[in-house]
Amino acid sequence: MALFDDFKLHLTGHVFVDVGIFVCMAHANKRRVEDITEEDLLNLANFLKELYCYDKKVQLFLHVNTFFNTAFHTKGGGKKEKTQEQLDKELKIKLEYAQNILFSFKKDVIAHNGDEQCVFFPELKAQLDADRKHIPLINGAGTINFHANGRAGIPISGLASLFIHAMPLGCFRVKGCLLAFQQYGSQHLPFSYILAKDAYTANTLKVGDSEQLQLPNYGEHAKTRYIERIIDAKNRALSRSEGLLNNLVGYYFTNTGTYPMIQILKLRDIVAEFVNTVEQDYSAPWKQAIQRNWIKVTPKSKEKNNTIKTTVKQKRKKRGTVRDKEAQNRLYETLFDLPNHAHRFLLYLRKARNWDLISIFLERILGMEQDRIDGYRKLGDELAEYVIGYNKNPKKFYQEFRNANYEQLRVILLDTAWTVYKSGKGEIPFTFDDFVIAFMSSGGYKLGRDLICFRLLEKFHAYGIDMSQEFEDEDGDYYELVTIADETEQQTEEEQEEEE
């Protein structure tokens, strides 16, 4: 029975197969999975055969992940160049393997009672016991541990084999590994299709060129690249759909040699909705916050001394504003830790100096009620008025307030209230209720202190007070010169000292 007589192609829920289906759709310029025809599959198989067997710049990209994780190469006598006979023999092996593994879908038939079914397309009869050279990250050939009934390999159809071998072209290369996307629970064409199509377009852009060029390398720091790719794709999709980024999972993996690895990356749905909202409605301050959080992280093996003593010039070199393949974005990276590390994320978000951006974060991520958010804003406004009218030294006041522990904070606020009370010129900026709401509610005094600081900076900026040097001193010493891991350790030590 022919494949498409009683079978319509569908997504499987497995990232390796589904990304391969998206590659086929992109190659055939189809927007519906069910519109893929046998002719489209033949065109894809022939395209992959050319890439795997002839195109050297693509072979390396695919070799370390799935297709060529097997013994194809003939011996060339150490570092000596291979003879033409050896090259011809190697090419023959590749072509035979490609014919068997890429075109076996033509032999697929509908599974009947008693037939062994494909684990990805159960409607089809299995043709192949797949191992690690066919499917990344599973057991190697002949390994029977953990397989049902003591058999080695996973039964798959020719169709599944084709899509798995197409999958790498729908992934982004990040520091020698692949980053693939899968979206679960979507009733329409998933957003992961757009991402796979982007990867396919970039990866095949240079195919056919006479020069042996490397395929796109998106750099390091998988979490940063994850956010970069979804934001770029979302902006080009021009969609305001709610839930566009929900249930989107990134799989960062390699099937290379003795060091196979996979890391699963996912934003919580509330965080994905936050990103979608700020990209649409708070684009300018959000982009400003992103721009000011690019850093270059020095590997610990290259660090001679993790000291905070350095010059402003050196700090600026570490911070930088130009994105490159080695750059990491602290705002992006911390998104994956929310809402658990909201305090740290707020420290990075405040670089936009925009209260509306802070407000939407408090509402969407921390679930804070609007009355409480408005209360923090009011306290920041009143405290800023006090500093302008009475203190006359906003930089010094801000620095003391920003670095105050709980005891120091109480003293500052008491002195503020007493100064205004003695003057008889206005109402006390802090009341009993204000203090309880700001510093005794969930989140602790640090959250209230920092939110008021964010509003102070915004107000001082509106008053025309230059706080740029204050940012250099404060951010440079603590947040620019330590790695993310060091920062976590230092924050934990400080919290422990305060508790003691």
Side-chain angles (χ1 to χ4, degrees):
M1 185 179 294
L3 174 63
F4 287 95
D5 285 350
D6 294 327
F7 176 80
K8 285 293 183 181
L9 185 61
H10 57 83
L11 297 178
T12 66
H14 194 288
V15 61
F16 292 158
V17 179
D18 288 356
V19 171
I21 292 175
F22 295 148
V23 168
C24 185
M25 292 169 62
H27 187 71
N29 196 25
K30 300 286 179 68
R31 288 191 56 83
R32 297 198 316 163
V33 177
E34 55 268 29
D35 289 342
I36 294 295
T37 65
E38 187 170 7
E39 182 180 0
D40 296 329
L41 299 179
L42 283 170
N43 289 336
L44 176 65
N46 280 301
F47 178 66
L48 292 176
K49 181 179 177 180
E50 291 292 318
L51 297 186
Y52 283 130
C53 299
Y54 295 103
D55 198 317
K56 292 182 180 179
K57 64 178 177 291
V58 178
Q59 285 177 10
L60 179 62
F61 171 61
L62 299 170
H63 167 78
V64 300
N65 290 285
T66 172
F67 191 88
F68 286 139
N69 199 358
T70 185
F72 275 137
H73 304 290
T74 58
K75 295 182 180 179
K79 295 183 179 180
K80 295 181 181 180
E81 292 186 6
K82 296 178 181 179
T83 65
Q84 187 60 47
E85 182 181 357
Q86 289 171 326
L87 293 174
D88 291 343
K89 181 179 179 181
E90 184 175 300
L91 178 59
K92 182 180 179 181
I93 295 173
K94 291 179 182 178
L95 291 171
E96 288 177 353
Y97 183 84
Q99 188 67 33
N100 291 333
I101 212 70
L102 298 177
F103 292 87
S104 58
F105 72 90
K106 294 192 295 183
K107 302 177 184 178
D108 277 339
V109 294
I110 299 297
H112 298 289
N113 292 336
D115 290 337
E116 186 170 44
Q117 297 171 302
C118 170
V119 296
F120 301 110
F121 297 105
E123 305 96 323
L124 301 178
K125 182 179 178 180
Q127 289 195 52
L128 172 70
D129 283 340
D131 54 52
R132 188 178 162 196
K133 66 176 177 287
H134 308 107
I135 304 176
L137 303 176
I138 67 173
N139 286 339
T143 303
I144 63 174
N145 294 339
F146 305 110
H147 281 291
N149 300 319
R151 65 177 293 174
I154 296 175
I156 65 173
S157 61
L159 190 63
S161 176
L162 173 63
F163 291 138
I164 291 170
H165 286 81
M167 172 270 299
L169 292 176
C171 303
F172 301 95
R173 185 158 64 102
V174 178
K175 199 179 180 181
C177 302
L178 294 185
L179 177 61
F181 290 91
Q182 175 81 315
Q183 190 170 35
Y184 298 95
S186 176
Q187 296 181 355
H188 306 288
L189 189 64
F191 184 66
S192 51
Y193 162 72
I194 298 175
L195 292 160
K197 186 178 181 181
D198 286 350
Y200 166 84
T201 302
N203 289 331
T204 58
L205 188 62
K206 300 294 183 180
V207 171
D209 287 357
S210 58
E211 298 180 5
Q212 299 300 322
L213 300 176
Q214 291 291 327
L215 290 175
N217 181 3
Y218 291 85
E220 304 179 13
H221 311 294
K223 290 181 179 178
T224 293
R225 307 308 156 204
Y226 175 109
I227 303 297
E228 274 189 330
R229 301 272 51 86
I230 67 171
I231 287 179
D232 179 65
K234 187 192 72 65
N235 288 342
R236 285 185 290 100
L238 299 177
S239 174
R240 293 186 59 92
S241 302
E242 293 293 327
L244 183 68
L245 305 179
N246 288 358
N247 299 316
L248 184 67
V249 182
Y251 295 88
Y252 182 57
F253 70 96
T254 178
N255 197 44
T256 306
T258 57
Y259 300 100
M261 176 277 299
I262 187 167
Q263 182 180 4
I264 298 176
L265 308 174
K266 185 182 185 302
L267 295 178
R268 295 190 180 188
D269 286 349
I270 58 170
V271 179
E273 289 295 339
F274 167 75
V275 172
N276 197 35
T277 298
V278 296
E279 277 285 318
Q280 298 285 357
D281 300 329
Y282 303 89
S283 176
W286 173 246
K287 288 180 179 178
Q288 192 174 46
I290 292 170
Q291 185 67 19
R292 290 176 175 176
N293 277 289
W294 286 105
I295 59 170
K296 286 189 177 181
V297 179
T298 304
K300 288 193 174 185
S301 60
K302 296 182 180 180
E303 291 177 354
K304 293 183 178 180
N305 185 15
N306 253 349
T307 179
I308 63 172
K309 294 181 180 179
T310 187
T311 64
V312 172
K313 185 177 181 180
Q314 287 173 322
K315 289 182 224 174
R316 286 173 179 163
K317 283 184 179 180
K318 276 184 173 289
R319 184 175 297 129
T321 57
V322 179
R323 291 185 295 175
D324 57 38
K325 293 179 180 179
E326 297 179 356
Q328 180 186 56
N329 193 287
R330 298 176 302 185
L331 197 71
Y332 286 169
E333 298 273 328
T334 314
L335 282 168
F336 292 89
D337 299 327
L338 293 176
N340 294 336
H341 293 95
H343 175 75
R344 187 194 301 178
F345 185 81
L346 280 168
L347 293 176
Y348 300 150
L349 195 63
R350 59 112 186 241
K351 290 180 178 292
R353 307 180 197 181
N354 183 279
W355 179 260
D356 290 337
L357 198 58
I358 299 292
S359 179
I360 195 66
F361 173 79
L362 297 176
E363 177 187 342
R364 296 293 181 90
I365 304 299
L366 298 187
M368 192 176 292
E369 295 179 356
Q370 189 61 45
D371 289 345
R372 186 177 171 191
I373 297 173
D374 293 340
Y376 285 121
R377 178 172 185 161
K378 169 180 171 290
L379 295 175
D381 291 347
E382 292 182 350
L383 198 55
E385 295 293 336
Y386 158 78
V387 174
I388 298 300
Y390 294 90
N391 186 272
K392 308 299 184 183
N393 193 341
K395 288 186 178 181
K396 181 180 178 181
F397 181 88
Y398 171 80
Q399 184 72 8
E400 291 177 351
F401 193 90
R402 169 66 186 85
N403 295 320
N405 59 30
Y406 182 73
E407 294 299 326
Q408 294 166 338
L409 194 66
R410 288 196 308 112
V411 172
I412 292 173
L413 295 177
L414 287 170
D415 288 347
T416 298
W418 181 243
T419 300
V420 176
Y421 177 76
K422 286 194 303 182
S423 71
K425 297 180 180 179
E427 295 184 358
I428 298 175
F430 275 82
T431 66
F432 173 83
D433 291 338
D434 292 335
F435 186 87
V436 171
I437 292 173
F439 304 111
M440 305 300 291
S441 301
S442 60
Y445 82 90
K446 284 186 178 181
L447 178 62
R449 178 197 65 188
D450 291 344
L451 291 175
I452 293 172
C453 279
F454 303 151
R455 186 58 178 170
L456 280 174
L457 287 175
E458 188 177 27
K459 293 295 290 185
F460 290 159
H461 181 71
Y463 284 131
I465 300 172
D466 182 15
M467 299 290 286
S468 58
Q469 185 59 43
E470 204 69 43
F471 270 98
E472 289 288 356
D473 293 340
E474 178 191 338
D475 292 348
D477 285 349
Y478 186 73
Y479 293 105
E480 295 294 340
L481 297 181
V482 294
T483 63
I484 296 297
D486 295 330
E487 178 185 335
T488 304
E489 293 172 1
Q490 187 163 347
Q491 287 178 331
T492 302
E493 291 172 359
E494 289 179 349
E495 291 171 357
Q496 290 175 349
E497 290 175 0
E498 290 172 5
E499 290 177 358
E500 293 174 357

